[in-house]
Amino acid sequence: MPEYSLSPTGEKFQLPDQKDYLKELERLKMLVNSQRSLKREIVIVMGVGFVGAVMAAVVADAEDSKGNSTKFVIGMQRPSIRSFWKIPLINRGLSPISTEDPEVALMIDRCVNRKKTLTATYTYDALKFADVVIVDVQCDYLKESLGNVRNGQAEMKALEESFEIIATHISPNTLVLIETTVAPGTTEQIAYPIMRKVFRKRRINTDPLLAHSFERVMPGKNYIASIRDFWRVCSGVNEEARSRVIQFLREVINTEKYPLTVLDRPIESETAKIVENSYRATILAFLDEWSHFAEQNGVDLMKVINSIKVRPTHSNIIFPGPGIGGYCLPKDGGLGLWAYRHIHGFEDDIFKITPLAIDINDTRALHVAQLTRDALRNMGRPIASAEILVLGASYREDVGDTRYSGSELIVRRLTEMGAELRVHDPYVLHWWEFEKQDEYPASSHSLKRFFRGQEKLKDLRVEQDLKETLHGMDAVIFAVRHQPYLTLDPDEVVNQAGGPIAVIDCFALLDDAKIRRYFELGCEVKGLGRGHVKRIKDQVREEKEKVLTENVRQGLRLKARNKAQ
Ligand SMILES: NC(=O)c1ccc[n+]([C@@H]2O[C@H](COP(=O)([O-])OP(=O)(O)OC[C@H]3O[C@@H](n4cnc5c(N)ncnc54)[C@H](O)[C@@H]3O)[C@@H](O)[C@H]2O)c1
């Protein structure tokens, strides 16, 4: 039986069979020959996911000072059921990623269809044509329990397999650039020995030219710029690898404006990535306790943060949303902890702040379920069987990436509490974490395993018509600061819902005027870190009482006057 890979828009692509591989290799050979005659370097990007697909386009778009393309890029992707569809899509010039940055789609189209500097394939044989291989496959960290990062392990399998496959196919002087975020020590202590061993088996006596330079991709409006026009750190296992990686990065990214930082050893650039993301996770986690403080003491954390931000020394303080998601921040610190013990062999426990920060971030979203429960209770509605709409499935604003989003935990906890959930997200067509919760990200990885009563969530679909979806809701949770949600008018929301609702603001989307209006319309409002809503509620109630008293007084006066006549 042929197997198929389904694209997010529902298009079916049959996975390749043996004959297809031979034809594909012929296609690549012809392409590579003609590209070499144009003096272009052949670059293979292994793994065309959120990072690899866009990095492949950036490299394919690179030109020399005379405006000539200098690289021909082959994006290479495993022909798995989950990911194969990305290959035919790229080969049509279409982006496999949905993003707010219009440049991503334009660049992929330009490189595939006009410049002809980009193609995608599923065959590892492509590696033998490579002058440079860029590794952008994932390296996951699997947590065994919710809110305890120490209880977990780095999943090295995909990466280790990739190193072996690369070493089996490449020529000895191919530069292998690892961009994957790895446990510090991986390049020198895992990749290097694996590849060297394969080289020796192939009777190659030189050492693999391995380099490391991590990505700082920010999916969203500045996707391309965050790869091409941004500072990079790099390193190599030896002098040759180091000078080759410096040369390569100079040719493909804007190092004139954003100079490279070259570190002595790969473990230093690997550590830089882990520290960078652990730092970010920590400043977010630190605000969780102040968010609770704010809720209990009439303080609006958003205003507090904005007032602090004006100090240049504190300008990177940020409001923590409902859980700190994305692929990187929840796992990267874990890779550091794991490396200390399992790569470097230390037994002592030096890590305190990094795991604590990740644990706080991993469970912050659960508080949203409590706020929703309380808001509904204040309206006399039980959470069990309440109809709740979550606005936003992705982990941050204006992107379609749902990995480890706070919204997933909100949906799971509220479902466990008996609520009926609906979800809307303009950037997400399929929320695979639910639709395929038994196999995605892998059978043992789904967060489903930490909650009860999750079976029906397989049928959860991401709604695209907001007006329609609002109809009949008891509660609306603003979970992500997507552009279309910022301008929603309270009167319209309540009107479409068919009456007063509970409104939960997880990301300070609502200004005070909107919060006030929701209260005036009979809604209940609660928000993460938004203790001042109680003050607005009291003001609205006082004003309503005043109007009521005035109406009663007027009524009495009118009655008295009528009597006197
Ligand atoms: N997504 C981000 O915002 C971001 C930012 C900075 C760094 N990173 C890092 O970049 C790396 C890649 O992340 P991503 O978000 O692109 O992951 P991803 O899961 O979107 O992409 C990885 C791709 O590699 C493919 N793959 C796995 N094994 C393969 C193999 N043997 N051969 C060919 N393809 C293979 C997978 O099918 C998948 O398409 C990770 O280490 C991540 O931590 C990600």
Side-chain angles (χ1 to χ4, degrees):
M1 278 293 278
E3 287 188 299
Y4 293 92
S5 169
L6 212 58
S7 79
T9 52
E11 196 175 349
K12 265 167 94 176
F13 296 97
Q14 192 177 328
L15 298 194
D17 61 22
Q18 213 46 48
K19 310 189 294 297
D20 296 321
Y21 276 86
L22 292 175
K23 262 198 267 163
E24 179 66 355
L25 186 58
E26 282 312 307
R27 178 182 82 92
L28 292 178
K29 253 188 212 157
M30 279 173 46
L31 278 174
V32 165
N33 284 340
S34 67
Q35 294 291 330
R36 283 218 191 282
S37 67
L38 295 169
K39 304 230 171 335
R40 290 179 183 158
E41 244 190 339
I42 309 298
V43 180
I44 309 283
V45 176
M46 198 161 178
V48 284
F50 284 96
V51 174
V54 187
M55 178 64 183
V58 166
V59 178
D61 202 44
E63 294 175 349
D64 62 17
S65 55
K66 294 189 189 118
N68 298 317
S69 296
T70 54
K71 317 278 175 213
F72 177 68
V73 180
I74 306 177
M76 204 197 59
Q77 175 61 54
R78 282 184 306 193
S80 61
I81 291 178
R82 174 144 72 100
S83 291
F84 174 71
W85 58 269
K86 295 173 194 171
I87 298 167
L89 237 65
I90 292 176
N91 284 338
R92 285 180 198 163
L94 298 174
S95 168
I97 291 152
S98 129
T99 162
E100 271 292 282
D101 185 351
E103 187 64 14
V104 172
L106 290 174
M107 190 182 267
I108 292 179
D109 176 47
R110 176 165 73 236
C111 293
V112 173
N113 294 321
R114 196 158 59 73
K115 292 183 160 187
K116 312 252 184 235
T117 50
L118 175 63
T119 190
T121 190
Y122 46 84
T123 173
Y124 290 133
D125 282 330
L127 285 162
K128 64 180 173 221
F129 304 120
D131 297 304
V132 179
V133 176
I134 303 179
V135 181
D136 276 326
V137 308
Q138 72 277 26
C139 175
D140 290 330
Y141 182 84
L142 178 64
K143 294 169 190 162
E144 306 287 353
S145 46
L146 187 64
N148 183 5
V149 68
R150 290 175 193 276
N151 192 6
Q153 52 188 301
E155 296 233 296
M156 301 296 290
K157 201 163 153 263
L159 204 59
E160 284 173 336
E161 269 173 22
S162 307
F163 297 140
E164 198 159 336
I165 292 163
I166 293 168
T168 309
H169 290 83
I170 57 169
S171 73
N173 55 355
T174 303
L175 172 71
V176 179
L177 166 55
I178 301 175
E179 287 198 335
T180 299
T181 305
V182 290
T186 298
T187 304
E188 285 156 293
Q189 300 200 41
I190 294 178
Y192 185 77
I194 292 179
M195 293 183 64
R196 197 166 182 270
K197 207 162 140 193
V198 179
F199 268 23
R200 294 297 175 264
K201 261 199 219 154
R202 291 176 60 197
R203 300 186 193 292
I204 298 170
N205 288 322
T206 52
D207 286 343
L209 290 174
L210 268 164
H212 181 261
S213 176
F214 58 88
E215 280 288 358
R216 285 168 162 155
V217 182
M218 288 295 291
K221 287 185 197 118
N222 302 316
Y223 217 129
I224 295 281
S226 69
I227 292 185
R228 187 190 53 203
D229 308 308
F230 213 61
W231 295 271
R232 277 276 193 142
V233 179
C234 70
S235 59
V237 289
N238 54 32
E239 198 42 55
E240 191 181 349
R242 189 180 312 141
S243 57
R244 286 275 303 274
V245 74
I246 294 171
Q247 174 71 14
F248 177 73
L249 291 174
R250 280 193 184 141
E251 286 169 5
V252 296
I253 61 177
N254 187 358
T255 54
E256 239 166 66
K257 196 151 174 215
Y258 302 91
L260 283 176
T261 303
V262 184
L263 294 179
D264 293 340
R265 288 180 54 199
I267 191 173
E268 288 171 333
S269 63
E270 291 164 339
T271 305
K273 173 67 182 181
I274 300 298
V275 172
E276 193 169 296
N277 275 352
S278 299
Y279 167 72
R280 186 108 171 137
T282 302
I283 54 173
L284 284 155
F286 146 77
L287 279 171
D288 179 64
E289 59 203 34
W290 290 107
S291 175
H292 288 285
F293 176 91
E295 282 169 37
Q296 284 152 12
N297 292 286
V299 172
D300 182 4
L301 185 67
M302 194 54 170
K303 292 196 196 96
V304 169
I305 286 176
N306 286 340
S307 69
I308 296 170
K309 247 187 159 91
V310 293
R311 265 187 78 161
T313 51
H314 289 53
S315 59
N316 66 352
I317 186 168
I318 32 174
F319 187 91
I324 312 307
Y327 183 46
C328 299
L329 262 52
K331 75 169 167 60
D332 287 358
L335 292 173
L337 265 66
W338 182 86
Y340 188 65
R341 177 152 302 168
H342 297 284
I343 297 184
H344 305 290
F346 289 99
E347 278 302 315
D348 56 338
D349 186 9
I350 53 169
F351 290 105
K352 308 240 166 354
I353 293 170
T354 302
L356 183 62
I358 293 177
D359 294 347
I360 289 170
N361 293 341
D362 279 358
T363 48
R364 178 164 160 81
L366 300 176
H367 182 53
V368 177
Q370 295 177 18
L371 292 179
T372 314
R373 174 201 64 199
D374 295 348
L376 282 166
R377 187 202 51 219
N378 290 355
M379 298 178 81
R381 300 179 199 175
I383 187 90
S385 78
E387 303 238 23
I388 299 174
L389 172 62
V390 176
L391 293 181
S394 62
Y395 82 91
R396 56 167 290 190
E397 69 272 20
D398 303 330
V399 299
D401 185 351
T402 54
R403 290 181 292 178
Y404 303 106
S405 74
S407 304
E408 180 179 350
L409 241 64
I410 296 173
V411 169
R412 293 203 180 280
R413 174 63 105 212
L414 285 170
T415 300
E416 187 175 65
M417 290 160 78
E420 295 293 327
L421 271 294
R422 278 199 201 173
V423 176
H424 173 274
D425 194 304
Y427 304 98
V428 179
L429 291 178
H430 291 275
W431 200 352
W432 298 120
E433 281 82 348
F434 291 106
E435 266 186 57
K436 295 201 184 293
Q437 61 181 359
D438 293 327
E439 70 241 44
Y440 182 87
S443 54
S444 53
H445 283 47
S446 172
L447 292 178
K448 169 187 159 194
R449 67 196 193 281
F450 301 127
F451 299 87
R452 65 180 191 91
Q454 303 287 297
E455 277 317 309
K456 65 177 177 187
L457 288 173
K458 271 204 291 253
D459 301 324
L460 189 74
R461 294 294 176 266
V462 186
E463 309 288 342
Q464 299 299 318
D465 184 336
L466 183 53
K467 275 190 191 168
E468 183 68 23
T469 313
L470 272 164
H471 186 71
M473 288 297 111
D474 292 301
V476 170
I477 300 176
F478 286 93
V480 187
R481 293 182 64 90
H482 285 328
Q483 203 61 38
Y485 303 152
L486 302 180
T487 49
L488 280 180
D489 174 44
D491 286 80
E492 277 176 31
V493 171
V494 172
N495 196 14
Q496 277 145 11
I501 50 170
V503 177
I504 317 299
D505 182 5
C506 305
F507 237 129
L509 273 96
L510 304 178
D511 60 21
D512 289 359
K514 281 189 179 156
I515 294 171
R516 160 178 286 273
R517 187 62 193 146
Y518 276 117
F519 278 126
E520 286 169 357
L521 292 165
C523 298
E524 179 68 14
V525 184
K526 288 194 178 288
L528 284 178
R530 312 213 74 192
H532 74 306
V533 292
K534 173 79 171 59
R535 206 164 49 241
I536 300 177
K537 183 180 174 178
D538 290 345
Q539 281 166 4
V540 171
R541 200 183 49 217
E542 273 168 30
E543 282 162 18
K544 272 189 183 167
E545 274 167 8
K546 236 194 238 161
V547 172
L548 212 67
T549 321
E550 190 48 39
N551 284 349
V552 172
R553 275 210 195 109
Q554 238 176 19
L556 287 175
R557 273 203 294 271
L558 211 67
K559 234 184 192 173
R561 211 180 302 147
N562 286 345
K563 231 183 184 177
Q565 281 170 356

